[in-house]
Amino acid sequence: MNKQPDTASDSSAPFDHSNHQNVTRKVSVAVIGAGTAGQNAFRQAKKFLEDVIIINDGFWTTTCIAVGCMPSKLLIAAADRAHDTNHSAEFGVHATARIDGKQVMERVRAERDHFASYIEKQVDSWPEDSKIAGRAYINKQGLIEVNDELIKADKIIVATGSSTFIPDGWEDKLGDTMLTSDTVFELADLPKSMAVIGAGAIGLELAQAFTRLGVKVTVFNRAKRVAGLKDEDINNKAIDCLSRELTMHLGSKITDVGQRSDENSDKSINKNSTVAFIDYEDSAGEVQQWQGDYVLVATGRRNNIEALGVENLGVELDEKNRPQQLDKKTGKIGDLDVYIVGDANANIPLLHVASDEGFSAGSMVCDNKKDAYIRPPATPFSIVFSSPQIVNVGMSLPEIQEDSTLEHVIGKVSFDNQGRSRVMGVNCGLLHIYGCKKTDRILGASMVGPDAEYIGHILAMAITNDLSIKDMLDTPFYHPTILEGLRTALRDVQDLMEIPYQSLDIHQNNS
């Protein structure tokens, strides 16, 4: 959702629809934003109420499909094919991948558009009088202004998503040499070189994918940390594993960015004959400069709510535009008839969370409470699809350490010499499972390693369903699999807890 022009507002104004002669439409529910959360909210509310509308500015699909998880995974899929081809010598298989950059990018866009077509068909099936394409603004009277309409809604669901965050001035300084996750997939061909600023999920995934496709990539990050990891041992291991492929300047401070003319630049890639540059101080405080074709700015995303006018509904925002009095189960704001869901509430910006929040909000706004199922907040769960993958589940280590009532142990397993991992040549990684000594339950886990996405799902299911360590160990672990590493870490938790358990005479040394 694009920003609105500055409009005077009174943040303390009540949600008041009285004495307005120019209202063009009255509805029970208005959904603003048609991403994952907004579409789920609209569909759910429409099951029970006829007069529900959805307003959207921009494409009628989801961030995930258009510029997020799907195109990035398509790029990663191509990169993994190239990497496997180029790095099979240890198996006695010798080959070199010939990478057609134009074909790589064409497939990314074609498959992305294929996924988007399903969403478009769904949107096309909605009644035309329920859809409004335009930029919404909530005025001082709590009415929605969009195009030439003035709409009175009994309840409003805000699902305006998020946008890439770009530091002040960088867009002007970098010009056409700047890329974001919103624009990078529109590249016609693979560039020769690229800087990636930011070592979060987006930055790491794209940096490694482009590296594997033959692009010379350099990653910059202010903190000596990747993927926001909070367990120092896991963070250090992730840096160790990723540094085998990636050039990373962690702990660096960028002092300036820009572009300059370069007669030697490849005009087939860069028609303006310019190169980007980054001035920075490295972790040792030495002044350095990088230059290359493009700078991919991956410094995070911010919710699209600041200029919407939600303050005119009585919603209070903090200094980072996060709504206060937010019910994390439903998105409801205090006792207002306002719901803020998905990335718009800046709570947990993940697709499955946005989906659940949209579903719950769409149920809550209906009068038929009997049929309204409110999904509980999901167990915290995040995956970075780098290689090796990085996963966090449940409580983080700092959260556990801050709670004086939690007596915990840390079960560990290294994947460096784990059987199946070594067989597959993917043996770099570390798993920590945080167990609660009082309850014999899993509090959380953090890991970097092969098959981490599957290990993460198993642990998330265990936490969600309150399974004990013994319950987990009573389930089968097939040999030889990478998932046997999970069993090793669970046994370590059990040993540290000194909980009685069955004999480990068989398969003790096979994981």
Side-chain angles (χ1 to χ4, degrees), residues 310-340:
V310 293
E311 301 90 341
N312 295 326
L313 301 175
V315 177
E316 296 180 0
L317 302 177
D318 68 11
E319 69 281 358
K320 294 184 178 180
N321 294 318
R322 295 173 299 196
Q324 303 299 285
Q325 295 184 295
L326 173 73
D327 184 331
K328 294 180 180 180
K329 291 183 180 179
T330 65
K332 194 174 192 299
I333 305 299
D335 58 359
L336 302 173
D337 286 324
V338 181
Y339 301 76
I340 302 179

PDB file of all heavy atoms in Angstrom, residues 310-340:
ATOM      1  N   VAL A 310      -4.891   5.544  10.485  1.00  0.00           N
ATOM      2  CA  VAL A 310      -5.509   4.713  11.520  1.00  0.00           C
ATOM      3  C   VAL A 310      -5.621   5.455  12.845  1.00  0.00           C
ATOM      4  O   VAL A 310      -6.456   5.100  13.690  1.00  0.00           O
ATOM      5  CB  VAL A 310      -4.733   3.390  11.720  1.00  0.00           C
ATOM      6  CG1 VAL A 310      -4.849   2.500  10.498  1.00  0.00           C
ATOM      7  CG2 VAL A 310      -3.275   3.653  12.068  1.00  0.00           C
ATOM      8  N   GLU A 311      -4.813   6.492  13.020  1.00  0.00           N
ATOM      9  CA  GLU A 311      -4.915   7.283  14.248  1.00  0.00           C
ATOM     10  C   GLU A 311      -6.310   7.899  14.375  1.00  0.00           C
ATOM     11  O   GLU A 311      -6.795   8.136  15.485  1.00  0.00           O
ATOM     12  CB  GLU A 311      -3.864   8.393  14.264  1.00  0.00           C
ATOM     13  CG  GLU A 311      -2.431   7.898  14.174  1.00  0.00           C
ATOM     14  CD  GLU A 311      -1.936   7.788  12.737  1.00  0.00           C
ATOM     15  OE1 GLU A 311      -2.793   7.752  11.827  1.00  0.00           O
ATOM     16  OE2 GLU A 311      -0.713   7.738  12.534  1.00  0.00           O
ATOM     17  N   ASN A 312      -6.947   8.152  13.239  1.00  0.00           N
ATOM     18  CA  ASN A 312      -8.280   8.748  13.257  1.00  0.00           C
ATOM     19  C   ASN A 312      -9.360   7.765  13.697  1.00  0.00           C
ATOM     20  O   ASN A 312     -10.522   8.150  13.879  1.00  0.00           O
ATOM     21  CB  ASN A 312      -8.618   9.297  11.870  1.00  0.00           C
ATOM     22  CG  ASN A 312      -7.709  10.447  11.480  1.00  0.00           C
ATOM     23  OD1 ASN A 312      -7.292  11.233  12.320  1.00  0.00           O
ATOM     24  ND2 ASN A 312      -7.378  10.543  10.202  1.00  0.00           N
ATOM     25  N   LEU A 313      -8.971   6.505  13.861  1.00  0.00           N
ATOM     26  CA  LEU A 313      -9.888   5.509  14.404  1.00  0.00           C
ATOM     27  C   LEU A 313      -9.653   5.295  15.898  1.00  0.00           C
ATOM     28  O   LEU A 313     -10.334   4.503  16.532  1.00  0.00           O
ATOM     29  CB  LEU A 313      -9.706   4.167  13.680  1.00  0.00           C
ATOM     30  CG  LEU A 313      -9.928   4.164  12.170  1.00  0.00           C
ATOM     31  CD1 LEU A 313      -9.579   2.793  11.590  1.00  0.00           C
ATOM     32  CD2 LEU A 313     -11.366   4.530  11.842  1.00  0.00           C
ATOM     33  N   GLY A 314      -8.662   6.014  16.431  1.00  0.00           N
ATOM     34  CA  GLY A 314      -8.306   5.856  17.833  1.00  0.00           C
ATOM     35  C   GLY A 314      -7.144   4.913  18.050  1.00  0.00           C
ATOM     36  O   GLY A 314      -6.796   4.596  19.198  1.00  0.00           O
ATOM     37  N   VAL A 315      -6.513   4.453  16.978  1.00  0.00           N
ATOM     38  CA  VAL A 315      -5.367   3.547  17.087  1.00  0.00           C
ATOM     39  C   VAL A 315      -4.123   4.347  17.452  1.00  0.00           C
ATOM     40  O   VAL A 315      -3.823   5.369  16.834  1.00  0.00           O
ATOM     41  CB  VAL A 315      -5.132   2.800  15.757  1.00  0.00           C
ATOM     42  CG1 VAL A 315      -3.893   1.903  15.868  1.00  0.00           C
ATOM     43  CG2 VAL A 315      -6.359   1.978  15.379  1.00  0.00           C
ATOM     44  N   GLU A 316      -3.394   3.873  18.447  1.00  0.00           N
ATOM     45  CA  GLU A 316      -2.142   4.516  18.848  1.00  0.00           C
ATOM     46  C   GLU A 316      -0.964   3.737  18.278  1.00  0.00           C
ATOM     47  O   GLU A 316      -0.923   2.505  18.369  1.00  0.00           O
ATOM     48  CB  GLU A 316      -2.032   4.577  20.374  1.00  0.00           C
ATOM     49  CG  GLU A 316      -3.097   5.439  21.030  1.00  0.00           C
ATOM     50  CD  GLU A 316      -2.964   5.481  22.542  1.00  0.00           C
ATOM     51  OE1 GLU A 316      -2.040   4.823  23.070  1.00  0.00           O
ATOM     52  OE2 GLU A 316      -3.776   6.150  23.197  1.00  0.00           O
ATOM     53  N   LEU A 317      -0.008   4.467  17.688  1.00  0.00           N
ATOM     54  CA  LEU A 317       1.192   3.861  17.123  1.00  0.00           C
ATOM     55  C   LEU A 317       2.401   4.279  17.946  1.00  0.00           C
ATOM     56  O   LEU A 317       2.463   5.404  18.436  1.00  0.00           O
ATOM     57  CB  LEU A 317       1.387   4.301  15.672  1.00  0.00           C
ATOM     58  CG  LEU A 317       0.252   3.999  14.690  1.00  0.00           C
ATOM     59  CD1 LEU A 317       0.583   4.579  13.307  1.00  0.00           C
ATOM     60  CD2 LEU A 317      -0.006   2.501  14.580  1.00  0.00           C
ATOM     61  N   ASP A 318       3.368   3.364  18.086  1.00  0.00           N
ATOM     62  CA  ASP A 318       4.596   3.738  18.780  1.00  0.00           C
ATOM     63  C   ASP A 318       5.564   4.406  17.806  1.00  0.00           C
ATOM     64  O   ASP A 318       5.209   4.690  16.654  1.00  0.00           O
ATOM     65  CB  ASP A 318       5.221   2.539  19.488  1.00  0.00           C
ATOM     66  CG  ASP A 318       5.758   1.481  18.517  1.00  0.00           C
ATOM     67  OD1 ASP A 318       5.850   1.745  17.303  1.00  0.00           O
ATOM     68  OD2 ASP A 318       6.094   0.373  18.979  1.00  0.00           O
ATOM     69  N   GLU A 319       6.787   4.648  18.245  1.00  0.00           N
ATOM     70  CA  GLU A 319       7.753   5.377  17.416  1.00  0.00           C
ATOM     71  C   GLU A 319       8.157   4.602  16.170  1.00  0.00           C
ATOM     72  O   GLU A 319       8.695   5.181  15.216  1.00  0.00           O
ATOM     73  CB  GLU A 319       9.002   5.722  18.234  1.00  0.00           C
ATOM     74  CG  GLU A 319       9.882   4.539  18.637  1.00  0.00           C
ATOM     75  CD  GLU A 319       9.337   3.754  19.826  1.00  0.00           C
ATOM     76  OE1 GLU A 319       8.282   4.157  20.371  1.00  0.00           O
ATOM     77  OE2 GLU A 319       9.962   2.743  20.201  1.00  0.00           O
ATOM     78  N   LYS A 320       7.882   3.298  16.142  1.00  0.00           N
ATOM     79  CA  LYS A 320       8.191   2.493  14.957  1.00  0.00           C
ATOM     80  C   LYS A 320       6.929   2.122  14.172  1.00  0.00           C
ATOM     81  O   LYS A 320       6.932   1.183  13.385  1.00  0.00           O
ATOM     82  CB  LYS A 320       8.945   1.228  15.374  1.00  0.00           C
ATOM     83  CG  LYS A 320      10.327   1.516  15.955  1.00  0.00           C
ATOM     84  CD  LYS A 320      11.074   0.231  16.270  1.00  0.00           C
ATOM     85  CE  LYS A 320      12.469   0.526  16.805  1.00  0.00           C
ATOM     86  NZ  LYS A 320      13.215  -0.733  17.121  1.00  0.00           N
ATOM     87  N   ASN A 321       5.859   2.885  14.394  1.00  0.00           N
ATOM     88  CA  ASN A 321       4.583   2.691  13.704  1.00  0.00           C
ATOM     89  C   ASN A 321       3.941   1.334  13.990  1.00  0.00           C
ATOM     90  O   ASN A 321       3.187   0.808  13.161  1.00  0.00           O
ATOM     91  CB  ASN A 321       4.745   2.877  12.185  1.00  0.00           C
ATOM     92  CG  ASN A 321       5.089   4.295  11.818  1.00  0.00           C
ATOM     93  OD1 ASN A 321       4.536   5.239  12.363  1.00  0.00           O
ATOM     94  ND2 ASN A 321       6.029   4.450  10.899  1.00  0.00           N
ATOM     95  N   ARG A 322       4.208   0.773  15.158  1.00  0.00           N
ATOM     96  CA  ARG A 322       3.572  -0.467  15.554  1.00  0.00           C
ATOM     97  C   ARG A 322       2.319  -0.154  16.360  1.00  0.00           C
ATOM     98  O   ARG A 322       2.365   0.652  17.292  1.00  0.00           O
ATOM     99  CB  ARG A 322       4.531  -1.322  16.379  1.00  0.00           C
ATOM    100  CG  ARG A 322       5.748  -1.796  15.620  1.00  0.00           C
ATOM    101  CD  ARG A 322       6.749  -2.493  16.514  1.00  0.00           C
ATOM    102  NE  ARG A 322       7.255  -1.598  17.555  1.00  0.00           N
ATOM    103  CZ  ARG A 322       8.342  -1.821  18.280  1.00  0.00           C
ATOM    104  NH1 ARG A 322       9.037  -2.941  18.070  1.00  0.00           N
ATOM    105  NH2 ARG A 322       8.730  -0.972  19.202  1.00  0.00           N
ATOM    106  N   PRO A 323       1.184  -0.767  16.021  1.00  0.00           N
ATOM    107  CA  PRO A 323      -0.055  -0.484  16.746  1.00  0.00           C
ATOM    108  C   PRO A 323       0.004  -0.976  18.182  1.00  0.00           C
ATOM    109  O   PRO A 323       0.503  -2.072  18.458  1.00  0.00           O
ATOM    110  CB  PRO A 323      -1.116  -1.227  15.939  1.00  0.00           C
ATOM    111  CG  PRO A 323      -0.365  -2.309  15.229  1.00  0.00           C
ATOM    112  CD  PRO A 323       0.987  -1.749  14.944  1.00  0.00           C
ATOM    113  N   GLN A 324      -0.502  -0.169  19.088  1.00  0.00           N
ATOM    114  CA  GLN A 324      -0.561  -0.535  20.497  1.00  0.00           C
ATOM    115  C   GLN A 324      -1.889  -1.217  20.816  1.00  0.00           C
ATOM    116  O   GLN A 324      -2.839  -1.135  20.046  1.00  0.00           O
ATOM    117  CB  GLN A 324      -0.375   0.710  21.367  1.00  0.00           C
ATOM    118  CG  GLN A 324       0.926   1.459  21.083  1.00  0.00           C
ATOM    119  CD  GLN A 324       2.152   0.598  21.352  1.00  0.00           C
ATOM    120  OE1 GLN A 324       2.525   0.355  22.485  1.00  0.00           O
ATOM    121  NE2 GLN A 324       2.787   0.117  20.289  1.00  0.00           N
ATOM    122  N   GLN A 325      -1.947  -1.903  21.953  1.00  0.00           N
ATOM    123  CA  GLN A 325      -3.132  -2.647  22.394  1.00  0.00           C
ATOM    124  C   GLN A 325      -3.548  -3.702  21.378  1.00  0.00           C
ATOM    125  O   GLN A 325      -4.728  -3.945  21.139  1.00  0.00           O
ATOM    126  CB  GLN A 325      -4.303  -1.694  22.677  1.00  0.00           C
ATOM    127  CG  GLN A 325      -4.048  -0.748  23.853  1.00  0.00           C
ATOM    128  CD  GLN A 325      -5.262   0.100  24.161  1.00  0.00           C
ATOM    129  OE1 GLN A 325      -5.679   0.927  23.351  1.00  0.00           O
ATOM    130  NE2 GLN A 325      -5.833  -0.113  25.325  1.00  0.00           N
ATOM    131  N   LEU A 326      -2.564  -4.346  20.759  1.00  0.00           N
ATOM    132  CA  LEU A 326      -2.826  -5.343  19.724  1.00  0.00           C
ATOM    133  C   LEU A 326      -3.084  -6.708  20.347  1.00  0.00           C
ATOM    134  O   LEU A 326      -2.292  -7.195  21.154  1.00  0.00           O
ATOM    135  CB  LEU A 326      -1.617  -5.431  18.781  1.00  0.00           C
ATOM    136  CG  LEU A 326      -1.641  -6.541  17.733  1.00  0.00           C
ATOM    137  CD1 LEU A 326      -2.640  -6.205  16.637  1.00  0.00           C
ATOM    138  CD2 LEU A 326      -0.247  -6.763  17.152  1.00  0.00           C
ATOM    139  N   ASP A 327      -4.215  -7.324  20.005  1.00  0.00           N
ATOM    140  CA  ASP A 327      -4.478  -8.707  20.383  1.00  0.00           C
ATOM    141  C   ASP A 327      -3.793  -9.592  19.346  1.00  0.00           C
ATOM    142  O   ASP A 327      -4.204  -9.630  18.187  1.00  0.00           O
ATOM    143  CB  ASP A 327      -5.987  -8.974  20.393  1.00  0.00           C
ATOM    144  CG  ASP A 327      -6.332 -10.383  20.877  1.00  0.00           C
ATOM    145  OD1 ASP A 327      -5.505 -11.292  20.691  1.00  0.00           O
ATOM    146  OD2 ASP A 327      -7.437 -10.567  21.420  1.00  0.00           O
ATOM    147  N   LYS A 328      -2.750 -10.286  19.752  1.00  0.00           N
ATOM    148  CA  LYS A 328      -1.949 -11.053  18.799  1.00  0.00           C
ATOM    149  C   LYS A 328      -2.683 -12.278  18.262  1.00  0.00           C
ATOM    150  O   LYS A 328      -2.250 -12.866  17.271  1.00  0.00           O
ATOM    151  CB  LYS A 328      -0.620 -11.463  19.441  1.00  0.00           C
ATOM    152  CG  LYS A 328       0.273 -10.257  19.758  1.00  0.00           C
ATOM    153  CD  LYS A 328       1.574 -10.672  20.396  1.00  0.00           C
ATOM    154  CE  LYS A 328       2.437  -9.450  20.705  1.00  0.00           C
ATOM    155  NZ  LYS A 328       3.733  -9.820  21.347  1.00  0.00           N
ATOM    156  N   LYS A 329      -3.782 -12.661  18.889  1.00  0.00           N
ATOM    157  CA  LYS A 329      -4.564 -13.775  18.363  1.00  0.00           C
ATOM    158  C   LYS A 329      -5.443 -13.348  17.199  1.00  0.00           C
ATOM    159  O   LYS A 329      -5.618 -14.097  16.237  1.00  0.00           O
ATOM    160  CB  LYS A 329      -5.465 -14.360  19.463  1.00  0.00           C
ATOM    161  CG  LYS A 329      -4.736 -15.094  20.569  1.00  0.00           C
ATOM    162  CD  LYS A 329      -5.733 -15.688  21.539  1.00  0.00           C
ATOM    163  CE  LYS A 329      -5.029 -16.441  22.657  1.00  0.00           C
ATOM    164  NZ  LYS A 329      -5.999 -17.011  23.627  1.00  0.00           N
ATOM    165  N   THR A 330      -5.999 -12.149  17.286  1.00  0.00           N
ATOM    166  CA  THR A 330      -7.005 -11.726  16.310  1.00  0.00           C
ATOM    167  C   THR A 330      -6.641 -10.464  15.538  1.00  0.00           C
ATOM    168  O   THR A 330      -7.276 -10.155  14.535  1.00  0.00           O
ATOM    169  CB  THR A 330      -8.344 -11.470  17.015  1.00  0.00           C
ATOM    170  OG1 THR A 330      -8.190 -10.355  17.920  1.00  0.00           O
ATOM    171  CG2 THR A 330      -8.791 -12.690  17.800  1.00  0.00           C
ATOM    172  N   GLY A 331      -5.661  -9.709  16.026  1.00  0.00           N
ATOM    173  CA  GLY A 331      -5.339  -8.425  15.401  1.00  0.00           C
ATOM    174  C   GLY A 331      -6.205  -7.293  15.893  1.00  0.00           C
ATOM    175  O   GLY A 331      -6.049  -6.148  15.446  1.00  0.00           O
ATOM    176  N   LYS A 332      -7.127  -7.564  16.818  1.00  0.00           N
ATOM    177  CA  LYS A 332      -8.025  -6.524  17.306  1.00  0.00           C
ATOM    178  C   LYS A 332      -7.259  -5.502  18.136  1.00  0.00           C
ATOM    179  O   LYS A 332      -6.367  -5.842  18.913  1.00  0.00           O
ATOM    180  CB  LYS A 332      -9.146  -7.125  18.144  1.00  0.00           C
ATOM    181  CG  LYS A 332     -10.323  -6.181  18.410  1.00  0.00           C
ATOM    182  CD  LYS A 332     -11.456  -6.913  19.124  1.00  0.00           C
ATOM    183  CE  LYS A 332     -12.738  -6.089  19.126  1.00  0.00           C
ATOM    184  NZ  LYS A 332     -12.599  -4.801  19.825  1.00  0.00           N
ATOM    185  N   ILE A 333      -7.621  -4.232  17.973  1.00  0.00           N
ATOM    186  CA  ILE A 333      -6.980  -3.148  18.704  1.00  0.00           C
ATOM    187  C   ILE A 333      -7.864  -2.728  19.872  1.00  0.00           C
ATOM    188  O   ILE A 333      -8.917  -2.110  19.681  1.00  0.00           O
ATOM    189  CB  ILE A 333      -6.710  -1.932  17.791  1.00  0.00           C
ATOM    190  CG1 ILE A 333      -5.898  -2.341  16.559  1.00  0.00           C
ATOM    191  CG2 ILE A 333      -5.995  -0.840  18.583  1.00  0.00           C
ATOM    192  CD1 ILE A 333      -4.532  -2.922  16.856  1.00  0.00           C
ATOM    193  N   GLY A 334      -7.449  -3.079  21.088  1.00  0.00           N
ATOM    194  CA  GLY A 334      -8.206  -2.692  22.281  1.00  0.00           C
ATOM    195  C   GLY A 334      -9.671  -3.049  22.168  1.00  0.00           C
ATOM    196  O   GLY A 334     -10.035  -4.161  21.781  1.00  0.00           O
ATOM    197  N   ASP A 335     -10.525  -2.069  22.477  1.00  0.00           N
ATOM    198  CA  ASP A 335     -11.965  -2.287  22.353  1.00  0.00           C
ATOM    199  C   ASP A 335     -12.529  -1.619  21.106  1.00  0.00           C
ATOM    200  O   ASP A 335     -13.744  -1.429  20.981  1.00  0.00           O
ATOM    201  CB  ASP A 335     -12.691  -1.777  23.606  1.00  0.00           C
ATOM    202  CG  ASP A 335     -12.437  -0.293  23.864  1.00  0.00           C
ATOM    203  OD1 ASP A 335     -11.678   0.345  23.086  1.00  0.00           O
ATOM    204  OD2 ASP A 335     -12.989   0.241  24.850  1.00  0.00           O
ATOM    205  N   LEU A 336     -11.651  -1.256  20.164  1.00  0.00           N
ATOM    206  CA  LEU A 336     -12.087  -0.645  18.909  1.00  0.00           C
ATOM    207  C   LEU A 336     -12.574  -1.706  17.930  1.00  0.00           C
ATOM    208  O   LEU A 336     -12.178  -2.872  18.015  1.00  0.00           O
ATOM    209  CB  LEU A 336     -10.940   0.139  18.264  1.00  0.00           C
ATOM    210  CG  LEU A 336     -10.304   1.271  19.077  1.00  0.00           C
ATOM    211  CD1 LEU A 336      -9.074   1.807  18.353  1.00  0.00           C
ATOM    212  CD2 LEU A 336     -11.321   2.384  19.314  1.00  0.00           C
ATOM    213  N   ASP A 337     -13.411  -1.293  16.981  1.00  0.00           N
ATOM    214  CA  ASP A 337     -13.835  -2.189  15.902  1.00  0.00           C
ATOM    215  C   ASP A 337     -12.828  -2.114  14.762  1.00  0.00           C
ATOM    216  O   ASP A 337     -13.174  -1.933  13.594  1.00  0.00           O
ATOM    217  CB  ASP A 337     -15.240  -1.805  15.417  1.00  0.00           C
ATOM    218  CG  ASP A 337     -16.322  -2.222  16.407  1.00  0.00           C
ATOM    219  OD1 ASP A 337     -16.161  -3.291  17.025  1.00  0.00           O
ATOM    220  OD2 ASP A 337     -17.301  -1.481  16.556  1.00  0.00           O
ATOM    221  N   VAL A 338     -11.571  -2.257  15.127  1.00  0.00           N
ATOM    222  CA  VAL A 338     -10.455  -2.159  14.185  1.00  0.00           C
ATOM    223  C   VAL A 338      -9.536  -3.356  14.401  1.00  0.00           C
ATOM    224  O   VAL A 338      -9.202  -3.705  15.535  1.00  0.00           O
ATOM    225  CB  VAL A 338      -9.656  -0.851  14.384  1.00  0.00           C
ATOM    226  CG1 VAL A 338      -8.518  -0.763  13.371  1.00  0.00           C
ATOM    227  CG2 VAL A 338     -10.566   0.361  14.289  1.00  0.00           C
ATOM    228  N   TYR A 339      -9.111  -3.962  13.309  1.00  0.00           N
ATOM    229  CA  TYR A 339      -8.218  -5.115  13.333  1.00  0.00           C
ATOM    230  C   TYR A 339      -7.034  -4.808  12.413  1.00  0.00           C
ATOM    231  O   TYR A 339      -7.223  -4.373  11.273  1.00  0.00           O
ATOM    232  CB  TYR A 339      -8.935  -6.378  12.848  1.00  0.00           C
ATOM    233  CG  TYR A 339     -10.152  -6.734  13.669  1.00  0.00           C
ATOM    234  CD1 TYR A 339     -11.353  -6.028  13.532  1.00  0.00           C
ATOM    235  CD2 TYR A 339     -10.110  -7.766  14.593  1.00  0.00           C
ATOM    236  CE1 TYR A 339     -12.472  -6.343  14.286  1.00  0.00           C
ATOM    237  CE2 TYR A 339     -11.221  -8.099  15.359  1.00  0.00           C
ATOM    238  CZ  TYR A 339     -12.396  -7.377  15.207  1.00  0.00           C
ATOM    239  OH  TYR A 339     -13.500  -7.696  15.962  1.00  0.00           O
ATOM    240  N   ILE A 340      -5.833  -5.024  12.900  1.00  0.00           N
ATOM    241  CA  ILE A 340      -4.637  -4.798  12.083  1.00  0.00           C
ATOM    242  C   ILE A 340      -3.885  -6.119  12.026  1.00  0.00           C
ATOM    243  O   ILE A 340      -3.431  -6.637  13.061  1.00  0.00           O
ATOM    244  CB  ILE A 340      -3.763  -3.675  12.655  1.00  0.00           C
ATOM    245  CG1 ILE A 340      -4.583  -2.377  12.745  1.00  0.00           C
ATOM    246  CG2 ILE A 340      -2.525  -3.458  11.793  1.00  0.00           C
ATOM    247  CD1 ILE A 340      -3.823  -1.192  13.315  1.00  0.00           C
TER     248      ILE A 340
END
